[in-house]
Amino acid sequence: MINGNVSHWWQQIGAPKPRPELPGSITADVAIVGGGYTGLWTAYYLKQQKPELKVVVIEQRHIGYGASGRNGGWLTNAITGGREQYVKTHGRDAAERFQVAMNETVDEVIRVAAAEGIDADIMKGGEFNVAYTPAQETRIREFAAAEQQWKSADLELLEAPEAMAKINVANTRAAVWHPHAARIQPAKLSAGLADAVERLGVEIYENTRAVEITPRTVRTTHGTVTADFVVRATEGFTAGLKGLKRLWLPMNSSLIATEPLDQSVWDELGWNKGEVLGDFAHVYMYAQRTADDRIAIGGRGVPYKWASGVDLDGETPPATAKTLSDIMHRFFPATRGAKVDHLWSGVLGVPRDWAATVGLDRETGLAWGGGYVGTGVTTTNLAGRTLADLILGNDTDITHLPWVGHQVRKWEPEPLRWIATKGLYTAYGIADQTELNGRKKTSPIAKIADVVTGRA
């Protein structure tokens, strides 16, 4: 089993072609810090609309090195933190517009991939989430009833026989499915986007770490970039920038990829239409059937490291592979003999209120996008389009969505944020175990954890 080495996705296709380091101090119209999806999409839409702009991207290692090249490959329509928060702050119509925009963004990513010749193993099969305990069944039915009140939800509640005919998850009690999701190969999308923006004239500098971002300036290990606009697109690595240690908490998520599975296993599972798969546990899992017939399945391993520490190359405690394998075997007993080929982790950015944000301060020229809490594969595209419109001064529908300009207070200093995060996932783990043991209602421990951390 390979442990770390960034991700299975990059191991599968090989490291991206090397790009130069920043050659020294330079000037640009727009400087983007971070060579992941947010930075690449922003560069793409800027150059599409205004080709004469000088746009540069600064990346600490290589493009797609962070969450963009390590995630579970869920191109789905989820609004980070849920749309109900925007009903409270902006009204139901604004929340509905946001959801429609996210639905459309799934198709926009697919459109651009086709237009740019990016083969990212995209297969649009929708998002399928299953309940396999009585408490999860209660939650999934409540969720379905609430979702079906929204015109944009397009959600179906599936009873056990219908659900198991779609994907044969053991002990299924009910499931939900919606069409606005696709499976992707994350590193292929990263590499293809990088090539696309370079064809448009974007300059990408790798192995160049940004140390500090100030108005119209990026100070790096290889020189200073001065620009009219500076976009912070650093997601889970934001805590490494001077003065931003407590802005977003870097949360770790881990994945395994099995060996390719025999056709007999897939015949039993019935999982063949590109659906991405999740559940209604508190410490939820996420999975896909890869284009080469593996199961890639993820969840929280060691979710947070003291003082916002980040493991750069994805090496993960081997016990996490067993935890994720056990989940897979519980879902699919036919996989018990399957070998795990790869284990890795990535880091995602978590704001204090679990709500993603995008915005621009025109006075300082500072722009930002991130805080996706694991829903970034789609949201980054909407962020990139929004940032391009904000920078270019375009007054569009997406620049008025309720997440634009959202500000949130910083996380508490240590040891409080370590205690809060550790306590949260301990509480969720206890709640999930009691539900597996037969508890019929959602544990009050989980409800308290949601309130304390702002997820409720």
Side-chain angles (χ1 to χ4, degrees):
M1 179 180 70
I2 299 172
N3 189 341
N5 286 344
V6 186
S7 72
H8 167 72
W9 312 119
W10 280 119
Q11 292 289 305
Q12 184 181 52
I13 66 174
K17 65 182 182 183
R19 292 173 169 87
E21 300 172 353
L22 184 70
S25 295
I26 63 171
T27 61
D29 295 308
V30 182
I32 298 170
V33 182
Y37 292 151
T38 300
L40 295 173
W41 283 124
T42 303
Y44 181 81
Y45 289 106
L46 282 169
K47 293 290 279 187
Q48 284 283 332
Q49 295 185 63
K50 199 169 183 180
E52 66 271 25
L53 287 177
K54 181 176 181 179
V55 179
V56 302
V57 175
I58 304 299
E59 166 56 43
Q60 68 170 337
R61 292 287 290 273
H62 61 71
I63 57 97
Y65 174 73
S68 298
R70 307 192 199 190
N71 63 79
W74 277 42
L75 179 67
T76 191
N77 71 342
I79 292 175
T80 308
R83 81 172 78 78
E84 292 297 331
Q85 62 188 309
Y86 299 108
V87 175
K88 297 175 184 177
T89 59
H90 292 76
R92 189 176 180 89
D93 287 347
E96 188 83 70
R97 286 190 294 107
F98 197 177
Q99 187 63 73
V100 170
M102 287 298 296
N103 295 353
E104 293 172 346
T105 299
V106 173
D107 292 324
E108 171 66 3
V109 173
I110 296 171
R111 181 196 70 79
V112 174
E116 297 293 345
I118 302 171
D119 181 5
D121 297 339
I122 297 174
M123 190 173 183
K124 190 180 180 186
E127 180 180 336
F128 182 90
N129 285 281
V130 65
Y132 50 86
T133 70
Q136 286 187 29
E137 181 182 1
T138 298
R139 288 197 296 276
I140 207 169
R141 292 186 184 280
E142 291 173 349
F143 171 78
E147 284 291 288
Q148 289 169 349
Q149 300 302 309
W150 293 84
K151 293 180 291 185
S152 56
D154 301 324
L155 188 89
E156 297 179 18
L157 175 65
L158 307 176
E159 299 299 335
E162 187 180 7
M164 295 178 76
K166 194 171 184 66
I167 301 180
N168 186 16
V169 176
N171 302 311
T172 294
R173 303 176 68 93
V176 290
W177 176 87
H178 70 76
H180 303 292
R183 172 207 74 192
I184 70 162
Q185 208 278 25
K188 288 184 178 182
L189 182 58
S190 296
L193 274 177
D195 289 343
V197 301
E198 284 184 318
R199 289 194 296 269
L200 292 170
V202 174
E203 300 172 18
I204 300 176
Y205 298 106
E206 296 182 333
N207 292 305
T208 302
R209 184 172 63 85
V211 177
E212 183 180 18
I213 296 174
T214 56
R216 298 183 172 84
T217 305
V218 183
R219 186 166 63 87
T220 83
T221 51
H222 289 66
T224 298
V225 182
T226 304
D228 294 331
F229 298 96
V230 175
V231 178
R232 174 170 49 78
T234 48
E235 187 55 356
F237 295 101
T238 300
L241 291 165
K242 184 177 179 180
L244 299 180
K245 196 171 189 68
R246 290 168 49 202
L247 182 63
W248 292 338
L249 183 144
M251 184 79 73
N252 294 290
S253 196
S254 303
L255 291 100
I256 57 172
T258 68
E259 64 184 337
L261 303 180
D262 291 341
Q263 186 58 46
S264 60
V265 176
W266 294 116
D267 289 342
E268 180 171 335
L269 271 51
W271 186 5
N272 54 23
K273 294 182 179 178
E275 303 95 337
V276 293
L277 171 65
D279 69 1
F280 262 65
H282 301 290
V283 184
Y284 55 83
M285 55 76 71
Y286 50 94
Q288 66 153 281
R289 175 181 176 176
T290 69
D292 61 347
D293 293 332
R294 305 170 190 268
I295 291 178
I297 181 170
R300 299 291 182 260
V302 180
Y304 177 70
K305 296 186 177 183
W306 177 264
S308 295
V310 175
D311 180 0
L312 294 179
D313 290 316
E315 188 168 345
T316 304
T320 300
K322 182 179 186 308
T323 298
L324 293 173
S325 295
D326 288 347
I327 294 171
M328 181 177 67
H329 299 332
R330 186 170 71 241
F331 270 55
F332 305 121
T335 65
R336 290 191 181 278
K339 186 179 76 169
V340 173
D341 275 356
H342 205 146
L343 165 68
W344 74 97
S345 293
V347 62
L348 47 96
V350 182
R352 185 62 179 80
D353 63 353
W354 295 69
T357 177
V358 62
L360 167 66
D361 181 343
R362 192 162 288 277
E363 288 189 8
T364 63
L366 296 176
W368 67 90
Y372 306 119
V373 198
T375 65
V377 178
T378 307
T379 315
T380 49
N381 176 275
L382 183 58
R385 285 186 284 138
T386 304
L387 286 165
D389 281 345
L390 291 171
I391 288 169
L392 297 176
N394 299 332
D395 187 8
T396 62
D397 288 343
I398 61 175
T399 63
H400 293 281
L401 292 175
W403 72 318
V404 177
H406 176 70
Q407 301 282 353
V408 64
R409 68 183 175 90
K410 293 182 178 180
W411 282 87
E412 293 78 3
E414 296 293 19
L416 296 179
R417 67 177 179 270
W418 185 87
I419 292 170
T421 309
K422 184 78 171 176
L424 168 69
Y425 280 96
T426 298
Y428 284 160
I430 292 170
D432 284 336
Q433 189 58 54
T434 61
E435 290 178 6
L436 280 171
N437 291 340
R439 183 182 178 87
K440 295 181 179 180
K441 294 183 179 180
T442 297
S443 168
I445 294 175
K447 292 180 179 178
I448 292 169
D450 280 344
V451 171
V452 169
T453 59
R455 295 179 69 181

